[in-house]
């Protein structure tokens, strides 16, 4: 028996030895056909077998397989799939470098350069991209990563989790739409606001300014921000980080997943933010008398006080599972998002208003579907379908019977509610579905058809008697939006291309509309239907190598958003009968991008012109001692402006650059009413509470192989300048006592060290190290000097 076992074992060993001898090695590098740059994490495999691998960070692959004839497949996100028959001979090593062609799709034509900022080159639309991979070791959010792009300004009302608006070439707030991988994020909830998403979540961020490609199917006037995540086929990977800093701020992020040889893919993203936001501000104080009734306020006496009711935290998890690189789908993913947030409300719309117990909280659950396939049914037909359902609950709680001041002192008022007595729960449900079909005819012609369906419904119930002063809970809030776009693209040569498009907009709104002159109270149920046609064209021409001109025009419409229509049931009053904005947009851009040996130069300038009618403007009002925000159509507004940007880099060692922006947004409604000759007192004035001159600058020094091979030390300085601007109309009232947001100049420093080619990473940051007084929306003061540290690990292929 023992002899038989030894004989069988010997035969097995010999068999394995012979099999090993028949195996051969295939290796090489995967590069881009356009600029010869390496392509990391590309998938290389032999069709119909289990033999495969992925390229490393240098674009190199090694694949072992038995000798024979196979079909070699190479694929990478943003590139055309390579397919070729190959013969592997026994006992030999085959080397093959493969160049992949970029996909002919507007959203993927991005040239990433060492500076981290680049043009979306072949697209005729005025667009730029920021490569966030260089920022993954920082504590920045996605919104902060956008600050180095020309024409873009982040406006926050406070610290972590505060209300935020992105301003892009003179348009702000709802004029700028946010997408994740081309999927609109309207109704995603506070936890998924762009200033609450960590920078590690994205691979790059694309910003389309003004005229927007049909592929987004949006009604944005100001532009589109598209967060692009890593969709490459990858083996097992883990990216995890934790940071801690001033004001008891904790942030963490984890991403892990893998794609198996059979195409099965799973991925988990999770992140959280927590901060007390207990930084110091400067404000006068309302002192309470010992009798509990009297108040004393000296507005000329300013105190340095600490915020105390501004804690914020949010948690989110995003899961996906599906298949990649199948004959019936390039990508089919089922996903779910769950998020939760808690937000204390420290102030109202003015900083002198102090709350001590008012807060808000909520959660949302979002199942989703994503499908994409190139060459569906016929060569040249690419389709993409996305759909999600958002179930969101938000609770506003204001039940305290006290009035607070900035010292944290309080006095009993005898009536419940610091602003307005409420304890209500709003249920928001909305569907979003996007379908895009792109048909390529040869290499010169392509058509794109896109349709977006978005529905929203809000119902609110109160745990206390009555409704909010700013709404009527008994009337449901409903909106449905359909946008269809068709575009044609002509690209006869690499030197120039042209796109022409048309869009159809349709919206149905139902909700409460105030019959009062002040826009609050006395609500009735009202419906409104709106439909419009828009159109436009965009072209680009490469004048000489590296010098590119872009010109675009659009007759655009922007449909009111849910917040503008229905408010937030708390600090914002909605207006259901808002009319859509109509705008003629013109953008001209000239850019130069060249590499001279180790030196790289990038310069660009943009001219902006917009003529907007029925401009939706956010203002402030007060009734019965309660201050609130309100939206209204403001006749006609003209925007003229420019921005310039420049960047220089030397090899991998040094990079510096900056932007300068001047945006002139003025009231162009000459008369108060269309049938009168009474000239408006604000005609020709700047739109108030909007910064019009701002700039930024950054410089980065990098030392490679410091102390050991593969270790990198990075030192970065960045700064931001903003000219003073008026909080209200410039020429109304006494200019000596006029409220103005002061001139600001802030500075930040960061130091990062990576070990073992980025496996272990440490960073330290000091923000606003000169401790400047910084303000944004309605003079609400932001944090002073702050310190942060971060640790990050990355494992996998």
């Amino acid at each position: 028996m023992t002899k038989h076992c030894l004989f069988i074992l010997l035969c097995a060993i010999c068999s394995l030895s012979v099999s090993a001898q028949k195996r051969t090695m295939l290796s090489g590098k995967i590069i881009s056909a356009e600029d010869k740059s390496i392509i990391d994490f590309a998938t290389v495999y032999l069709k119909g077998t289990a033999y495969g691998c992925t390229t490393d960070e240098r674009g190199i692959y090694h694949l072992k397989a038995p000798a024979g004839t196979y079909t070699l497949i190479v694929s990478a996100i943003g590139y055309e799939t390579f397919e070729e028959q190959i013969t592997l001979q026994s006992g030999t090593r085959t080397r093959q470098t493969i160049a992949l062609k970029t996909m002919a799709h507007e959203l993927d034509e991005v040239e990433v350069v060492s500076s981290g900022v680049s043009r979306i080159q072949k697209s005729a639309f005025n667009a730029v991209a920021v490569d966030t991979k260089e920022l993954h070791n920082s504590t920045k959010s996605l919104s902060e990563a956008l600050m180095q792009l020309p024409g873009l300004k982040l406006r926050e009302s406070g610290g972590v989790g505060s209300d935020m608006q992105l301003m892009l070439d003179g348009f702000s707030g709802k004029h700028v739409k946010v997408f994740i991988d081309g999927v609109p994020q309207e109704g995603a909830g506070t936890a998924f606001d762009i200033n609450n998403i960590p920078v590690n979540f994205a691979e790059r961020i694309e910003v389309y300014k003004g005229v927007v490609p049909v592929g987004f199917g949006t009604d944005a006037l100001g532009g589109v921000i598209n967060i692009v995540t890593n969709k490459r086929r990858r083996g097992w990977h883990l990216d995890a980080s934790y940071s801690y800093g001033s004001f008891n701020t904790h942030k963490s992020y984890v991403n892990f997943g893998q794609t198996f040889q059979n195409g099965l893919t799973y991925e988990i993203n999770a992140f959280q933010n927590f901060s007390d936001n207990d930084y110091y501000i400067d404000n006068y104080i309302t002192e309470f008398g010992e009798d509990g009734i009297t108040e004393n306020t000296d507005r000329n006496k300013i105190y340095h006080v600490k915020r105390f009711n501004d804690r914020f935290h949010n948690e989110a998890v995003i899961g996906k599972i599906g298949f990649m690189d199948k004959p019936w789908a390039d990508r089919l993913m089922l996903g779910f998002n769950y998020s939760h947030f808690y937000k204390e409300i420290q102030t109202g719309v003015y900083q002198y208003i102090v709350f001590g117990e008012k807060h808000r909280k909520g959660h949302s659950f979002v199942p989703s579907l994503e499908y994409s396939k190139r060459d569906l049914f016929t060569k040249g037909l690419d389709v993409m379908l996305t759909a999600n359902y958002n179930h969101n609950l938000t609770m506003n709680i204001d039940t305290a019977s006290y009035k607070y001041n900035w010292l944290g002192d309080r006095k009993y008022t005898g009536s419940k509610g610091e602003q307005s007595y409420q304890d209500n729960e709003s249920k928001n449900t909305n569907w979003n579905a996007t379908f895009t079909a792109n048909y390529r005819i040869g290499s010169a012609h392509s058509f794109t058809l896109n349709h977006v369906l978005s529905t929203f419904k809000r119902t609110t119930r109160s745990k206390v008697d009555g409704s909010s002063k700013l709404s009527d809970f008994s009337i449901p809030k409903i909106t449905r939006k359909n946008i269809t776009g068709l575009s044609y693209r002509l690209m006869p040569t690499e030197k120039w291309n042209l796109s022409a498009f048309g869009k159809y907009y349709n919206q149905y709104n139902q909700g409460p509309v105030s019959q009062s002159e002040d826009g609050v109270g006395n609500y009735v149920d009202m419906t409104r239907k709106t439909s419009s046609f828009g159109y436009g064209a965009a072209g680009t021409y490469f004048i000489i190598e590296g010098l590119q001109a872009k010109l675009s025009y659009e007759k655009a419409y922007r449909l009111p958003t849910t917040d503008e229509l229905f408010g937030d049931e708390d600090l914002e009053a909605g207006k259901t009968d808002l009319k859509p904005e109509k705008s003629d947009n013109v953008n001209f851009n000239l850019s130069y991008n060249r590499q001279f040996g180790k030196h790289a130069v990038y310069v660009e300038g943009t001219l902006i012109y917009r003529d907007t009618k029925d401009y939706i403007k956010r203002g402030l009002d007060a009734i019965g001692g309660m201050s609130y925000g309100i939206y209204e159509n403001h006749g006609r507004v003209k925007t003229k402006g420019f921005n310039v940007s420049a960047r220089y880099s030397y090899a991998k060692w040094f990079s510096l650059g900056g932007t300068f922006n001047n945006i002139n947004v003025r009231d162009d409604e000459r008369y108060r009413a269309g049938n009168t000759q009474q000239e408006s007192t604000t005609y020709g004035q700047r739109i108030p509470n909007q910064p019009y001159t701002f700039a930024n600058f950054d410089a980065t020094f990098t030392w490679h192989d410091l102390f050991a091979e593969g270790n990198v030390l990075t030192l970065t300085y960045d700064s931001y300048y903003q000219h003073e601007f008026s909080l209200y109309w410039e020429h109304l009232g006494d200019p000596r006592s006029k409220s103005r947001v002061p001139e600001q100049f802030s500075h930040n420093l960061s130091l990062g060290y990576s070990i073992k080619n980025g496996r272990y990473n440490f960073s330290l940051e000091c923000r606003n190290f000169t401790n400047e007084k910084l303000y944004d929306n309605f003079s609400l003061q932001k944090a002073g000097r702050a310190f942060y540290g971060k640790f990050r690990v990355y494992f996998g292929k």
Side-chain angles (χ1 to χ4, degrees):
M1 184 67 179
T2 303
K3 291 181 179 180
H4 286 295
C5 292
L6 290 173
F7 177 77
I8 292 172
L9 179 61
L10 182 61
C11 289
I13 293 173
C14 292
S15 176
L16 289 172
S17 177
V18 172
S19 175
Q21 289 176 356
K22 290 183 179 180
R23 289 213 170 190
T24 185
M25 173 74 78
L26 174 65
S27 60
K29 181 181 288 188
I30 309 299
I31 61 174
S32 168
E34 280 74 17
D35 57 8
K36 309 305 178 186
S37 62
I38 64 171
I39 301 177
D40 55 354
F41 302 111
T43 301
V44 183
Y45 65 98
L46 302 179
K47 190 174 183 178
T49 74
Y51 302 109
C53 64
T54 57
T55 57
D56 61 18
E57 67 276 2
R58 297 170 296 171
I60 295 173
Y61 69 94
H62 300 287
L63 188 153
K64 292 181 180 181
T69 300
Y70 303 94
T71 299
L72 176 65
I73 305 291
V74 182
S75 64
I77 295 296
Y79 296 89
E80 296 183 2
T81 300
F82 175 88
E83 186 170 332
E84 181 181 81
Q85 192 175 74
I86 187 171
T87 300
L88 304 180
Q89 297 181 354
S90 178
T92 63
R93 180 170 183 158
T94 304
R95 299 180 183 274
Q96 184 171 1
T97 297
I98 299 169
L100 300 185
K101 295 181 180 178
T102 304
M103 283 185 180
H105 193 292
E106 290 173 353
L107 301 186
D108 289 328
E109 292 162 349
V110 179
E111 179 190 14
V112 177
V113 294
S114 60
S115 65
V117 178
S118 62
R119 279 267 126 206
I120 300 181
Q121 286 278 16
K122 294 180 182 177
S123 170
F125 298 91
N126 183 18
V128 289
V130 57
D131 180 14
T132 61
K133 292 192 294 292
E134 298 183 2
L135 302 173
H136 281 184
N137 292 332
S138 74
T139 63
K140 294 180 183 292
S141 65
L142 285 179
S143 58
E144 292 169 320
L146 289 166
M147 292 294 286
Q148 59 185 297
L149 293 177
L152 210 147
K153 165 97 171 71
L154 172 67
R155 304 186 68 187
E156 291 182 296
S157 62
V160 177
S162 63
D163 293 334
M164 175 274 305
Q165 286 187 339
L166 283 170
M167 179 176 168
L168 183 59
D169 286 347
F171 278 107
S172 61
K174 315 305 179 183
H175 298 96
V176 183
K177 305 291 187 180
V178 177
F179 290 73
I180 295 180
D181 293 325
V183 179
Q185 294 303 294
E186 284 189 54
T190 300
F192 279 96
D193 284 347
I194 194 170
N195 59 329
N196 294 328
I197 302 177
V199 72
N200 302 64
F201 183 76
E203 184 175 59
R204 70 174 186 272
I205 311 174
E206 301 170 347
V207 179
Y208 291 80
K209 304 165 66 178
V211 183
V212 176
V214 163
F216 287 109
T218 186
D219 56 332
L221 283 185
V224 156
I225 294 171
N226 186 34
I227 302 164
V228 182
T229 62
N230 192 336
K231 291 187 175 182
R232 295 187 180 95
R233 179 170 177 149
R234 294 185 287 173
W236 185 86
H237 61 277
L238 170 68
D239 186 359
S241 62
Y242 169 77
S243 68
Y244 174 75
S246 299
F247 322 120
N248 194 29
T249 300
H250 306 257
K251 297 183 178 183
S252 58
Y253 172 78
V254 64
N255 165 248
F256 63 92
Q258 70 182 116
T259 301
F260 299 95
Q261 291 294 329
N262 63 359
L264 178 64
T265 301
Y266 74 91
E267 183 177 16
I268 298 292
N269 279 279
F271 61 88
Q272 64 82 218
N273 300 288
F274 178 97
S275 181
D276 286 334
N277 288 318
D278 55 348
Y279 57 89
Y280 282 88
I281 64 166
D282 299 289
N283 209 87
Y284 63 82
I285 291 175
T286 298
E287 297 178 341
F288 304 139
E290 294 183 0
D291 58 4
I293 300 175
T294 57
E295 296 182 6
N296 179 40
T297 301
D298 183 356
R299 299 197 176 199
N300 296 315
K301 189 175 182 180
I302 303 300
Y303 292 79
H304 193 56
V305 293
K306 192 175 186 179
R307 297 168 72 100
F308 59 90
N309 184 52
D310 203 22
R311 175 172 292 179
F312 173 85
H313 65 85
N314 73 310
E315 301 80 31
V317 60
I318 307 160
K320 293 183 179 180
I321 187 167
F323 291 90
M324 295 178 63
D325 301 327
K326 289 295 186 180
W328 35 268
D330 294 336
R331 185 176 174 88
L332 174 63
M333 303 295 290
L334 296 175
F336 69 89
N337 299 356
Y338 176 80
S339 63
H340 175 271
F341 81 95
Y342 172 84
K343 180 179 181 180
E344 294 175 345
I345 311 297
Q346 177 71 91
T347 69
V349 293
Y350 297 100
Q351 188 161 281
Y352 65 81
I353 301 172
V354 187
F355 300 135
E357 299 180 45
K358 181 177 171 64
H359 63 280
R360 184 182 302 164
K361 59 184 178 180
H363 63 269
S364 66
F365 178 73
V366 186
S368 62
L369 169 70
E370 175 189 348
Y371 174 81
S372 62
K373 180 71 177 75
R374 286 179 58 83
D375 299 325
L376 180 68
F377 305 131
T378 183
K379 185 173 178 59
L381 178 61
D382 306 335
V383 299
M384 182 179 74
L385 173 67
T386 63
N388 63 62
Y389 169 73
N390 190 337
H391 184 88
N392 180 294
L393 287 178
T394 299
M395 286 149 275
N396 291 298
I397 298 140
D398 184 4
T399 58
S401 300
Y402 295 93
K403 181 178 180 178
Y404 284 80
N405 66 12
W406 273 117
L407 295 176
D409 300 332
R410 68 181 189 177
K411 79 167 188 175
Y412 183 70
T413 61
S415 60
K416 294 185 178 181
E418 297 180 75
Q419 183 190 36
S420 62
Y421 181 38
Q422 60 177 316
D423 184 358
N424 61 63
E425 177 185 88
S426 295
K427 181 173 72 173
N428 304 319
T429 57
N430 62 296
W431 289 89
N432 289 293
T434 303
F435 173 79
T436 304
N438 187 64
Y439 185 56
R440 307 182 307 277
I441 304 174
S443 59
H445 309 275
S446 66
F447 293 88
T448 300
L449 174 67
N450 176 275
H451 182 79
V452 171
L453 166 65
S454 178
T455 70
F456 174 89
K457 181 178 181 180
R458 175 187 294 165
T459 55
T460 304
R461 65 183 183 90
S462 178
K463 298 179 182 178
V464 298
D465 293 335
S467 298
S468 164
K469 294 180 181 179
L470 304 183
S471 183
D472 189 328
F473 295 164
S474 65
I475 302 176
K477 290 89 171 173
I478 298 171
T479 181
R480 292 192 295 271
K481 186 162 58 176
N482 284 274
I483 303 173
T484 303
L486 177 65
S487 72
Y488 165 70
R489 185 188 190 196
L490 173 65
M491 188 176 179
T493 70
E494 292 289 326
K495 197 167 186 177
W496 69 275
N497 68 79
L498 175 70
S499 293
F501 58 89
K503 293 181 181 179
Y504 173 72
Y505 307 84
N506 180 272
Q507 186 176 34
Y508 169 84
N509 301 325
Q510 178 185 351
V513 174
S514 173
Q515 301 299 295
S516 303
E517 291 185 3
D518 56 19
V520 173
N522 191 21
Y523 295 99
V524 296
D525 193 358
M526 181 176 288
T527 63
R528 173 187 284 272
K529 295 181 180 179
T530 302
S531 61
S532 305
F533 284 96
Y535 51 87
T540 183
Y541 181 75
F542 288 87
I543 302 170
I544 59 174
E545 185 179 359
L547 181 61
Q548 182 182 15
K550 295 187 176 188
L551 178 65
S552 59
Y553 164 79
E554 181 179 16
K555 181 70 172 181
Y557 292 83
R558 185 181 77 83
L559 306 176
T561 66
T562 55
D563 285 344
E564 292 168 334
L565 292 168
F566 310 128
D568 64 357
E569 316 289 356
D570 186 19
L571 299 173
E572 303 285 328
K575 194 171 184 180
T576 308
D577 56 348
L578 282 174
K579 293 183 287 187
E581 293 179 326
K582 302 178 285 290
S583 181
D584 292 283
N585 300 338
V586 180
N587 286 270
F588 176 73
N589 177 269
L590 194 65
S591 64
Y592 182 71
N593 192 2
R594 284 295 304 274
Q595 187 90 24
F596 302 96
K598 294 183 178 181
H599 305 271
V601 177
Y602 167 68
V603 182
E604 75 155 284
T606 300
L607 296 176
I608 304 121
Y609 174 83
R610 296 192 182 97
D611 185 356
T612 307
K613 301 177 183 65
D614 294 323
Y615 181 84
I616 299 176
K617 174 180 170 293
R618 181 182 183 273
L620 295 180
D621 211 336
I623 182 172
M626 180 184 69
S627 299
Y628 59 92
I630 190 169
Y631 296 92
E632 58 184 350
N633 289 109
H634 182 79
R636 189 171 188 175
V637 171
K638 279 190 177 178
T639 303
K640 300 175 183 178
F642 69 90
N643 51 63
V644 294
S645 177
R647 187 161 294 275
Y648 165 78
S649 61
Y650 175 75
K652 297 180 179 180
W653 301 97
F654 176 66
S655 172
L656 65 87
T659 70
F660 178 83
N661 310 273
N662 185 277
I663 309 297
N664 192 359
V665 186
R666 293 186 180 268
D667 178 12
D668 200 51
E669 190 69 29
R670 180 179 291 272
Y671 302 107
R672 287 191 173 184
N675 298 323
T676 72
Q677 294 299 308
Q678 185 178 5
E679 188 166 296
S680 169
T681 57
T682 61
Y683 174 68
Q685 296 186 40
R686 294 184 189 274
I687 296 297
N689 192 38
Q690 285 199 14
Y692 55 88
T693 299
F694 51 97
N696 61 66
F697 174 81
D698 65 85
T700 301
F701 300 86
T702 307
W703 289 267
H704 294 269
D705 300 325
L706 185 66
F707 305 129
E709 185 177 355
N711 294 0
V712 178
L713 180 69
T714 304
L715 176 64
T716 299
Y717 162 81
D718 65 269
S719 61
Y720 182 82
Y721 168 80
Q722 177 180 283
H723 193 274
E724 72 169 10
F725 59 93
S726 178
L727 193 59
Y728 304 105
W729 292 104
E730 287 181 309
H731 303 307
L732 298 182
D734 186 348
R736 292 171 297 180
S737 60
K738 185 174 293 297
S739 297
R740 305 185 69 86
V741 178
E743 183 178 73
Q744 300 169 51
F745 192 21
S746 62
H747 312 267
N748 308 306
L749 277 175
S750 64
L751 180 68
Y753 187 58
S754 295
I755 302 174
K756 294 187 176 181
N757 296 310
R759 175 166 290 186
Y760 307 102
N761 308 273
F762 307 86
S763 65
L764 296 172
E765 300 179 34
C766 179
R767 298 189 188 178
N768 190 13
F769 62 79
T770 56
N771 203 30
E772 301 292 325
K773 291 184 180 180
L774 304 180
Y775 301 86
D776 252 332
N777 294 336
F778 299 103
S779 291
L780 297 175
Q781 190 172 344
K782 300 193 293 185
R785 185 186 297 115
F787 298 91
Y788 300 93
K790 181 176 180 178
F791 172 65
R792 172 176 174 248
V793 296
Y794 184 88
F795 298 95
K797 298 180 180 179

